[in-house]
Amino acid sequence: MTDQETRHRQRRARFESLAHVVTESLHRYLVRRTSPDMVEDVLSETMLVLWRRMDEVPGLGTGSGPGRGPGTLPDRDAVLPWCYGVARHCLANARRADGRRLRLVERLIGARQESPAVAADHSDLHAALGTLSELDREVVRLWAWEGLAPRQIAEATGMTPNAVSMRLHRAKKKLAEKLRPVRKNAELPGHEMSEGRSSQ
């Protein structure tokens, strides 16, 4: 086997170990943010970007150091926040492309249509989330739904941990005010479930 073949095999093994750790969480991340017909396409694009930029994934390593032999899985907490950031950008790109296609269809048929990416959920929580800015919504969802700590949210969004903490504090206060009349003493759903991780 040539050196090039060996390097390719090692790279593929590293990617497979990364995919094993993050794919399910990335799928869940996308399901919560877009329509079912977009999830698989965006997930595929996300994994393609991860393959191309695998050497940039924090915590993945090169596969040649101690404890990085074949079959060794990366630390989920180390790699997932960065991968969420990739998924977030891929989803934004897909939404822009989908929006352009939708506008073209609307012009062709001469009738407005609602984007499939717009959720039909009019629950109190989604209404309250809708009062936040897009970035604040994402910070809250990463905290409440994905169970990320502020330092991990910072890695996923490109902000500083301090900026994340401030946004999260203000957003939670605003949500509490909106939800108090109809949902006294309730917390954000999903945050205290076992799928979440530490919020500290």
Side-chain angles (χ1 to χ4, degrees):
M1 182 180 296
T2 67
D3 289 343
Q4 183 176 359
E5 290 172 335
T6 299
R7 286 193 298 270
H8 180 76
R9 174 172 289 186
Q10 291 173 343
R11 181 177 177 82
R12 180 172 179 176
R14 288 173 59 214
F15 178 75
E16 289 175 351
S17 68
L18 175 65
H20 181 79
V21 169
V22 304
T23 300
E24 182 178 348
S25 294
L26 291 176
H27 185 271
R28 187 164 58 242
Y29 173 94
L30 293 169
V31 164
R32 288 165 166 165
R33 284 162 176 79
T34 191
S35 57
D37 59 325
M38 287 183 67
V39 170
E40 294 303 327
D41 286 343
V42 178
L43 180 60
S44 296
E45 180 64 22
T46 300
M47 299 311 293
L48 180 59
V49 173
L50 291 179
W51 166 261
R52 291 172 178 165
R53 301 180 62 188
M54 190 163 44
D55 293 336
E56 302 175 40
V57 181
L60 184 57
T62 62
S64 58
R68 291 290 183 183
T72 301
L73 297 178
D75 180 3
R76 180 182 182 275
D77 288 342
V79 299
L80 191 54
W82 195 87
C83 295
Y84 278 145
V86 171
R88 181 170 175 257
H89 285 293
C90 289
L91 179 56
N93 290 338
R95 281 174 171 163
R96 283 192 291 270
D98 192 59
R100 288 193 294 268
R101 287 192 294 268
L102 181 62
R103 287 191 293 274
L104 176 60
V105 170
E106 288 174 351
R107 287 196 299 270
L108 290 174
I109 67 175
R112 295 194 59 81
Q113 298 180 15
E114 183 179 42
S115 169
V118 176
D121 189 340
H122 299 293
S123 69
D124 298 329
L125 175 59
H126 282 276
L129 282 171
T131 66
L132 303 178
S133 69
E134 182 178 351
L135 185 54
D136 283 352
R137 282 198 303 273
E138 182 65 357
V139 167
V140 170
R141 290 182 299 199
L142 285 169
W143 171 77
W145 293 351
E146 316 308 337
L148 298 190
R151 61 180 175 77
Q152 296 173 310
I153 297 172
E155 188 173 347
T157 60
M159 293 189 291
T160 65
N162 187 52
V164 169
S165 295
M166 291 174 60
R167 280 184 176 272
L168 185 58
H169 175 75
R170 289 196 300 262
K172 287 194 291 184
K173 184 177 180 181
K174 185 173 182 179
L175 287 174
E177 291 171 353
K178 295 288 184 182
L179 295 172
R180 188 175 296 118
V182 292
R183 197 174 297 176
K184 294 180 180 179
N185 302 319
E187 293 186 8
L188 290 176
H191 190 60
E192 61 184 15
M193 295 175 65
S194 59
E195 69 174 345
R197 306 191 69 79
S198 172
S199 63
Q200 301 300 318

